[in-house]
Amino acid sequence: MKVEDRIYSMWEKSGAFRADNTTDKEPFTISMPPPNATGQLHLGHAVMLALEDIFIRFARMRGKEALWVPGTDHAAIATENVVIKKLKDEGIRDPREELGREKLVDAIKEFVSGSQDTIRSQIRKMGSSCDWSREAYTMDAPRHRLVNEVFCKMFADDLIYRGHRIVNWDPKLQTNVSDDEVEWEDRTDPFYTFRYGPFEIGTVRPETKFGDKYVVMHPDDKRYKKYKHGDTFECEWINGPITATIIKDESVDPEMGTGVMTITPWHSGVDFEIAERHGLDKEQVIDFEGKLLPIAGEFEGMRIEDARANIVEKLDSKGLLVKIDEKYTHTVALNSRGGGVIEPQIKLQWFIDVNRQVVQWKDRKISLKEVMQDAVRSGDINIIPERFEKTYFHWIDNLRDWCISRQIWWGHRIPVWYKGAEEFSGVQPPDGDDWVQDPDTLDTWFSSALWTWSTLVDPKLTEDYSLTLKEIIEKSPDIQKFHPTQVMETGYDILFFWVARMILMTTYATGEIPFKTVYLHGMIRARDGQKMSKSKPETMIDPLDIIPQYGADALRMAMIVGQSPGNDQKLYEEKIAGYRNFINKLWNASRFVLMQCEDAGVDPHSIAGSKQQAASSLSLADRALLSALQDLITDVTNGLADYRLSEVGERLYSFTWDYFCDWYLELSKGEANTNVLLYGLRTIVALLHPYCPFVTEELWGHIKPEGADMLLQQAWPVADASLKNHSDKELQIVIDVITAIRSLRSDQEIEPAKKITVIIHSEHADLLSAQQEHIIRMARLETLTVSSATQKHENVASVFLSNAEVHLSLEGLIDVEKEVARLSKEKEKLEGFIRGIAAKLDNEKFVQNAKEEVVEKEREKLAVSQQKLIKVEERLKALK
């Protein structure tokens, strides 16, 4: 941890994170999805930070003007909830009532300013190379000015309006929430069927039915053809007789229940739309606290959950209860921000009209919805993975007007003032007395939807109220240099919440797209695939606990390798520990290289490179490494350019561990070439730097050429075609032979220390003979015979490669007769075991009735036993 802190401090003090808007370099910009200012770093943040840091470090090393803008979000509802709960814990029973708006907002500001340092520190712990000089906050003064500017511009363009609409009201938090902040939960509740005049209607919510006076049916439903639209009839209902009206509407599903329903326009979005189409009355039954209103008669003032049973009892006493289905499964809407049950209500709210065709886009005027469709459909914005385009269009094609007002105090207050019948919208308050500002605040997503460009505006320009929004944008050097941004990397779960809204607001405000590529990462899950949850501590992995134990580099690798865009992945401690072992392997390899330099009396800093050496002075392993490194550079560069981060991570891991450490370093023992060793290590360290920035920077300090900058500022390796040759393919033949000998030793259960005799026949006999010393040492051989001519051998175990025969002499190693007897007995036992499991799995009753995990375990046993049997049969064949 101390080493990582020291390295990060060195990076930050160097100014290398700061981008320059005056250079001619190609820009590469990422806007960091702002974590909650009051939040703690969790795995969702950690994977986002790791991915984006890889993008930005790669771009920086390739010579681009790389800018990664950090920041935090005021997180309106979440933050207000946290502070109100804290104040209640401190003894303030009702903070809103006792403190009032101004004091409560001040308390929230104070809390946020104290907690922002925490999230900043945690972002640094991940190694994030962002430009802290450009840090932004969704509620700071520059962003507040821009939020007001955009609101007023949309208001002037008639894209923002105020009206009575059905909204998702949360009685618990006393605010409405947007459609995409609603979560749906399956629940089992009683479903009641009641007689309503000549009809039967069904509901799980009888408490909403006091005002129901319309019966709706499909106009083509033949069962009800005798009833005409507008017909009325008298019927007994909850609080006495009522006059009901027949409504014919095509939205009714004739297959659903009896095909007839009554509607509650005030408390249902579907019913509200039916009422709007037919000009029907709308009566409120439940108040904003979740209690019944006077229309409920004797039940007035009761909470809906308390009144339900009493209402059903009253309807039953009137003979109107037909039946109850006690186990009816349905979905219930919840507020994702606090878990409160949503109660649809009609309220006066502010909305953005997504269908009004007044937006200038590509030389024509179209609606916001059409702009959002075109930006992706035209290819201006690419979504990775591509399959999420279908999800995006499904949401946009069904987009409704966006309700942007919230009934909370923490957030950007609606910039509209009232005085009597007068209404004023402005970036600044109106002149004169007696003006009252709208009490609502803007949806959090309104301000964060401006994030990619509002963070690039020159803050000083926002202090000059003589400038228009257009002038502020045009005069801001960072916007001109760094916008549109290159990549928006975020979780697929906020594709609708945030990504789509950034497209909506940025295209409208600036006339250009916010980003060129959207990279969506999946959710990180526990080992068993469960969603990590605070309610299940055993599923949680806290990055702040992991980093001190395993290091940020190991955590980064564990989250990235195996993580393909848009797919969830499992993360567990053993996986992270595995990548810590990889970091240790790299460290030990570097120590070996430095020891070779020391033994040779060479200062590693004095070596500029290995390319000057003639090929004739290099060993096969040296030439092979130099050639293989060129392929590695090409693969890693192309992979990162195409955002194939997991694939690149796997390639680097495999090359470093297997090829460089396990093979090249072993082959170099006794004939170490310090130039090639350093060139290879430097190249690997540079290519790994975006993934493992801390350990690579530390190692770079020990191996860098004299006068070289920090690794963070080094140029990205470029493949050198002159170093490409066939040596890597030749070395692979040697590696395959050594691997085959080791496999034979293992299969024959010959202890590792025992020296053995091997005969090789190969068309590459000259090559293998030249490498004979390496083969004998690394395969632990007593004798090795290599020839190009093949011949038959007795009492050997053999492997036949595509270009070589490898024969291990068993003479004196094992008693063949005893070994055959032992293996035959083992074969018989395995065959019996396999027959038993196969019979069990062939039994349909067992497969159908047993738990899935039990059946899977039996299948695993069968597969393992079958593999063992194959191995036993192969050994028997070799011995007979």
Side-chain angles (χ1 to χ4, degrees), residues 235-267:
C235 71
E236 182 64 26
W237 197 225
I238 307 172
N239 286 335
I242 62 166
T243 301
T245 304
I246 304 287
I247 299 295
K248 299 281 183 123
D249 192 279
E250 292 183 350
S251 67
V252 178
D253 181 2
E255 303 298 319
M256 186 78 173
T258 61
V260 170
M261 66 180 191
T262 57
I263 60 170
T264 312
W266 201 283
H267 301 290

CSV table of all heavy atoms in Angstrom, one decimal, residues 235-267:
chain,number,residue,atom,x,y,z
A,235,CYS,N,-75.8,0.4,-10.1
A,235,CYS,CA,-75.4,-0.8,-9.4
A,235,CYS,C,-75.0,-0.5,-8.0
A,235,CYS,O,-74.7,0.7,-7.7
A,235,CYS,CB,-74.2,-1.5,-10.1
A,235,CYS,SG,-72.7,-0.6,-10.1
A,236,GLU,N,-75.0,-1.5,-7.1
A,236,GLU,CA,-74.6,-1.3,-5.7
A,236,GLU,C,-73.1,-1.4,-5.7
A,236,GLU,O,-72.5,-2.3,-6.3
A,236,GLU,CB,-75.3,-2.4,-4.9
A,236,GLU,CG,-74.9,-2.3,-3.4
A,236,GLU,CD,-75.5,-1.1,-2.7
A,236,GLU,OE1,-76.5,-0.5,-3.2
A,236,GLU,OE2,-74.9,-0.6,-1.7
A,237,TRP,N,-72.5,-0.5,-4.9
A,237,TRP,CA,-71.0,-0.6,-4.8
A,237,TRP,C,-70.6,-0.4,-3.4
A,237,TRP,O,-71.4,-0.5,-2.4
A,237,TRP,CB,-70.4,0.4,-5.8
A,237,TRP,CG,-68.9,0.1,-6.1
A,237,TRP,CD1,-67.9,1.1,-6.1
A,237,TRP,CD2,-68.3,-1.1,-6.3
A,237,TRP,NE1,-66.7,0.5,-6.4
A,237,TRP,CE2,-66.9,-0.9,-6.5
A,237,TRP,CE3,-68.7,-2.4,-6.4
A,237,TRP,CZ2,-66.0,-1.9,-6.7
A,237,TRP,CZ3,-67.8,-3.4,-6.6
A,237,TRP,CH2,-66.4,-3.2,-6.8
A,238,ILE,N,-69.3,-0.1,-3.1
A,238,ILE,CA,-68.8,-0.1,-1.7
A,238,ILE,C,-69.6,0.7,-0.8
A,238,ILE,O,-70.0,0.3,0.3
A,238,ILE,CB,-67.3,0.3,-1.7
A,238,ILE,CG1,-66.5,-0.5,-2.7
A,238,ILE,CG2,-66.7,0.2,-0.3
A,238,ILE,CD1,-65.0,0.0,-2.9
A,239,ASN,N,-69.8,2.0,-1.1
A,239,ASN,CA,-70.5,2.9,-0.2
A,239,ASN,C,-71.9,3.3,-0.7
A,239,ASN,O,-72.4,4.4,-0.5
A,239,ASN,CB,-69.7,4.2,-0.1
A,239,ASN,CG,-68.5,4.0,0.8
A,239,ASN,OD1,-68.5,3.1,1.6
A,239,ASN,ND2,-67.4,4.8,0.6
A,240,GLY,N,-72.6,2.3,-1.4
A,240,GLY,CA,-73.9,2.6,-1.8
A,240,GLY,C,-74.1,2.5,-3.3
A,240,GLY,O,-73.2,2.2,-4.1
A,241,PRO,N,-75.3,2.8,-3.8
A,241,PRO,CA,-75.6,2.7,-5.3
A,241,PRO,C,-74.8,3.8,-6.0
A,241,PRO,O,-74.7,4.9,-5.6
A,241,PRO,CB,-77.1,2.9,-5.4
A,241,PRO,CG,-77.6,3.3,-4.0
A,241,PRO,CD,-76.5,3.2,-3.0
A,242,ILE,N,-74.4,3.4,-7.3
A,242,ILE,CA,-73.7,4.4,-8.2
A,242,ILE,C,-74.3,4.2,-9.6
A,242,ILE,O,-74.9,3.2,-9.9
A,242,ILE,CB,-72.2,4.2,-8.2
A,242,ILE,CG1,-71.8,2.8,-8.7
A,242,ILE,CG2,-71.6,4.4,-6.8
A,242,ILE,CD1,-70.4,2.6,-9.1
A,243,THR,N,-74.0,5.3,-10.4
A,243,THR,CA,-74.3,5.2,-11.8
A,243,THR,C,-73.0,4.9,-12.6
A,243,THR,O,-72.1,5.7,-12.5
A,243,THR,CB,-75.0,6.5,-12.3
A,243,THR,OG1,-76.2,6.7,-11.6
A,243,THR,CG2,-75.3,6.4,-13.8
A,244,ALA,N,-73.0,3.8,-13.3
A,244,ALA,CA,-71.8,3.4,-14.0
A,244,ALA,C,-72.0,3.6,-15.5
A,244,ALA,O,-73.1,3.5,-16.0
A,244,ALA,CB,-71.4,2.0,-13.7
A,245,THR,N,-70.9,3.9,-16.2
A,245,THR,CA,-70.9,4.1,-17.7
A,245,THR,C,-70.1,3.1,-18.4
A,245,THR,O,-69.0,2.8,-18.0
A,245,THR,CB,-70.4,5.5,-18.0
A,245,THR,OG1,-71.1,6.5,-17.2
A,245,THR,CG2,-70.5,5.9,-19.5
A,246,ILE,N,-70.6,2.6,-19.5
A,246,ILE,CA,-69.9,1.7,-20.4
A,246,ILE,C,-68.9,2.4,-21.3
A,246,ILE,O,-69.3,3.4,-22.0
A,246,ILE,CB,-70.9,0.9,-21.3
A,246,ILE,CG1,-71.9,0.2,-20.5
A,246,ILE,CG2,-70.1,-0.1,-22.2
A,246,ILE,CD1,-71.4,-1.0,-19.7
A,247,ILE,N,-67.6,2.0,-21.3
A,247,ILE,CA,-66.6,2.6,-22.2
A,247,ILE,C,-66.1,1.5,-23.1
A,247,ILE,O,-65.6,0.4,-22.6
A,247,ILE,CB,-65.5,3.3,-21.4
A,247,ILE,CG1,-66.1,4.4,-20.5
A,247,ILE,CG2,-64.4,3.8,-22.3
A,247,ILE,CD1,-66.6,5.6,-21.3
A,248,LYS,N,-66.0,1.7,-24.4
A,248,LYS,CA,-65.4,0.7,-25.3
A,248,LYS,C,-64.0,1.3,-25.7
A,248,LYS,O,-63.9,2.4,-26.2
A,248,LYS,CB,-66.3,0.5,-26.5
A,248,LYS,CG,-67.7,0.0,-26.3
A,248,LYS,CD,-67.7,-1.5,-26.0
A,248,LYS,CE,-69.1,-2.0,-25.8
A,248,LYS,NZ,-69.5,-3.1,-26.8
A,249,ASP,N,-63.0,0.4,-25.4
A,249,ASP,CA,-61.6,0.9,-25.7
A,249,ASP,C,-60.8,-0.3,-26.2
A,249,ASP,O,-60.8,-1.4,-25.6
A,249,ASP,CB,-61.0,1.5,-24.5
A,249,ASP,CG,-59.7,2.3,-24.8
A,249,ASP,OD1,-58.6,1.6,-24.9
A,249,ASP,OD2,-59.8,3.5,-25.0
A,250,GLU,N,-60.0,-0.1,-27.3
A,250,GLU,CA,-59.2,-1.2,-27.8
A,250,GLU,C,-58.0,-1.7,-27.0
A,250,GLU,O,-57.4,-2.7,-27.3
A,250,GLU,CB,-58.7,-0.8,-29.2
A,250,GLU,CG,-59.9,-0.7,-30.3
A,250,GLU,CD,-59.4,-0.3,-31.7
A,250,GLU,OE1,-58.2,0.0,-31.8
A,250,GLU,OE2,-60.2,-0.4,-32.6
A,251,SER,N,-57.7,-0.9,-25.9
A,251,SER,CA,-56.6,-1.3,-25.1
A,251,SER,C,-56.9,-2.5,-24.2
A,251,SER,O,-56.0,-3.1,-23.7
A,251,SER,CB,-56.1,-0.1,-24.2
A,251,SER,OG,-57.1,0.2,-23.3
A,252,VAL,N,-58.2,-2.8,-24.0
A,252,VAL,CA,-58.6,-3.9,-23.2
A,252,VAL,C,-58.3,-5.2,-23.8
A,252,VAL,O,-58.6,-5.4,-25.0
A,252,VAL,CB,-60.1,-3.8,-22.8
A,252,VAL,CG1,-60.5,-5.0,-21.9
A,252,VAL,CG2,-60.4,-2.5,-22.1
A,253,ASP,N,-57.7,-6.2,-23.1
A,253,ASP,CA,-57.4,-7.5,-23.6
A,253,ASP,C,-58.6,-8.4,-23.3
A,253,ASP,O,-58.9,-8.7,-22.1
A,253,ASP,CB,-56.2,-8.0,-22.9
A,253,ASP,CG,-55.8,-9.4,-23.4
A,253,ASP,OD1,-56.5,-10.0,-24.3
A,253,ASP,OD2,-54.8,-10.0,-22.9
A,254,PRO,N,-59.4,-8.8,-24.3
A,254,PRO,CA,-60.5,-9.7,-24.0
A,254,PRO,C,-60.2,-11.0,-23.4
A,254,PRO,O,-61.1,-11.7,-22.8
A,254,PRO,CB,-61.1,-9.9,-25.5
A,254,PRO,CG,-60.5,-8.8,-26.3
A,254,PRO,CD,-59.2,-8.5,-25.7
A,255,GLU,N,-58.9,-11.5,-23.5
A,255,GLU,CA,-58.5,-12.7,-23.0
A,255,GLU,C,-58.2,-12.6,-21.5
A,255,GLU,O,-58.0,-13.6,-20.8
A,255,GLU,CB,-57.3,-13.3,-23.7
A,255,GLU,CG,-57.5,-13.4,-25.2
A,255,GLU,CD,-58.6,-14.4,-25.5
A,255,GLU,OE1,-58.6,-15.5,-24.9
A,255,GLU,OE2,-59.3,-14.2,-26.5
A,256,MET,N,-58.1,-11.4,-21.0
A,256,MET,CA,-57.7,-11.2,-19.6
A,256,MET,C,-58.9,-11.3,-18.7
A,256,MET,O,-59.8,-10.4,-18.8
A,256,MET,CB,-57.0,-9.8,-19.5
A,256,MET,CG,-56.4,-9.6,-18.1
A,256,MET,SD,-54.9,-10.4,-17.9
A,256,MET,CE,-54.4,-9.7,-16.3
A,257,GLY,N,-58.9,-12.3,-17.8
A,257,GLY,CA,-60.1,-12.4,-16.9
A,257,GLY,C,-61.4,-12.5,-17.6
A,257,GLY,O,-61.5,-13.3,-18.6
A,258,THR,N,-62.3,-11.7,-17.3
A,258,THR,CA,-63.7,-11.7,-17.9
A,258,THR,C,-63.7,-10.8,-19.1
A,258,THR,O,-64.7,-10.7,-19.8
A,258,THR,CB,-64.7,-11.2,-16.9
A,258,THR,OG1,-64.4,-9.9,-16.5
A,258,THR,CG2,-64.8,-12.1,-15.7
A,259,GLY,N,-62.6,-10.1,-19.4
A,259,GLY,CA,-62.6,-9.1,-20.5
A,259,GLY,C,-63.2,-7.8,-20.2
A,259,GLY,O,-63.3,-6.9,-21.1
A,260,VAL,N,-63.5,-7.6,-18.9
A,260,VAL,CA,-64.2,-6.3,-18.5
A,260,VAL,C,-63.4,-5.8,-17.3
A,260,VAL,O,-62.9,-6.6,-16.4
A,260,VAL,CB,-65.6,-6.6,-18.1
A,260,VAL,CG1,-66.2,-5.4,-17.4
A,260,VAL,CG2,-66.5,-6.9,-19.3
A,261,MET,N,-63.2,-4.5,-17.2
A,261,MET,CA,-62.5,-3.9,-16.0
A,261,MET,C,-63.1,-2.6,-15.7
A,261,MET,O,-63.6,-1.9,-16.6
A,261,MET,CB,-61.0,-3.8,-16.3
A,261,MET,CG,-60.6,-2.9,-17.4
A,261,MET,SD,-58.8,-2.8,-17.6
A,261,MET,CE,-58.6,-1.4,-18.6
A,262,THR,N,-63.0,-2.2,-14.4
A,262,THR,CA,-63.3,-0.8,-14.1
A,262,THR,C,-62.0,-0.1,-14.0
A,262,THR,O,-61.0,-0.7,-13.9
A,262,THR,CB,-64.0,-0.7,-12.7
A,262,THR,OG1,-63.2,-1.4,-11.7
A,262,THR,CG2,-65.4,-1.4,-12.8
A,263,ILE,N,-62.0,1.2,-14.2
A,263,ILE,CA,-60.8,1.9,-14.2
A,263,ILE,C,-60.7,2.9,-13.0
A,263,ILE,O,-61.7,3.5,-12.6
A,263,ILE,CB,-60.6,2.7,-15.5
A,263,ILE,CG1,-61.7,3.7,-15.8
A,263,ILE,CG2,-60.4,1.7,-16.7
A,263,ILE,CD1,-61.4,4.6,-17.0
A,264,THR,N,-59.4,3.2,-12.6
A,264,THR,CA,-59.1,4.1,-11.5
A,264,THR,C,-58.1,5.1,-12.1
A,264,THR,O,-56.9,4.9,-11.9
A,264,THR,CB,-58.5,3.3,-10.3
A,264,THR,OG1,-59.3,2.2,-10.0
A,264,THR,CG2,-58.4,4.3,-9.1
A,265,PRO,N,-58.5,6.1,-12.9
A,265,PRO,CA,-57.6,6.9,-13.6
A,265,PRO,C,-56.6,7.7,-12.8
A,265,PRO,O,-55.5,7.9,-13.3
A,265,PRO,CB,-58.5,7.9,-14.3
A,265,PRO,CG,-59.9,7.3,-14.4
A,265,PRO,CD,-59.9,6.4,-13.1
A,266,TRP,N,-56.9,7.9,-11.5
A,266,TRP,CA,-55.9,8.7,-10.7
A,266,TRP,C,-54.8,7.8,-10.2
A,266,TRP,O,-53.7,8.3,-9.9
A,266,TRP,CB,-56.6,9.3,-9.5
A,266,TRP,CG,-55.9,10.5,-8.9
A,266,TRP,CD1,-54.8,10.4,-8.1
A,266,TRP,CD2,-56.2,11.8,-9.0
A,266,TRP,NE1,-54.3,11.7,-7.8
A,266,TRP,CE2,-55.2,12.6,-8.3
A,266,TRP,CE3,-57.2,12.6,-9.7
A,266,TRP,CZ2,-55.2,14.0,-8.3
A,266,TRP,CZ3,-57.2,13.9,-9.6
A,266,TRP,CH2,-56.2,14.6,-8.9
A,267,HIS,N,-54.9,6.5,-10.2
A,267,HIS,CA,-54.0,5.6,-9.6
A,267,HIS,C,-53.5,4.5,-10.5
A,267,HIS,O,-53.0,3.5,-10.1
A,267,HIS,CB,-54.5,5.0,-8.3
A,267,HIS,CG,-54.9,6.1,-7.3
A,267,HIS,ND1,-53.9,6.9,-6.7
A,267,HIS,CD2,-56.1,6.5,-6.9
A,267,HIS,CE1,-54.6,7.7,-5.8
A,267,HIS,NE2,-55.9,7.5,-6.0
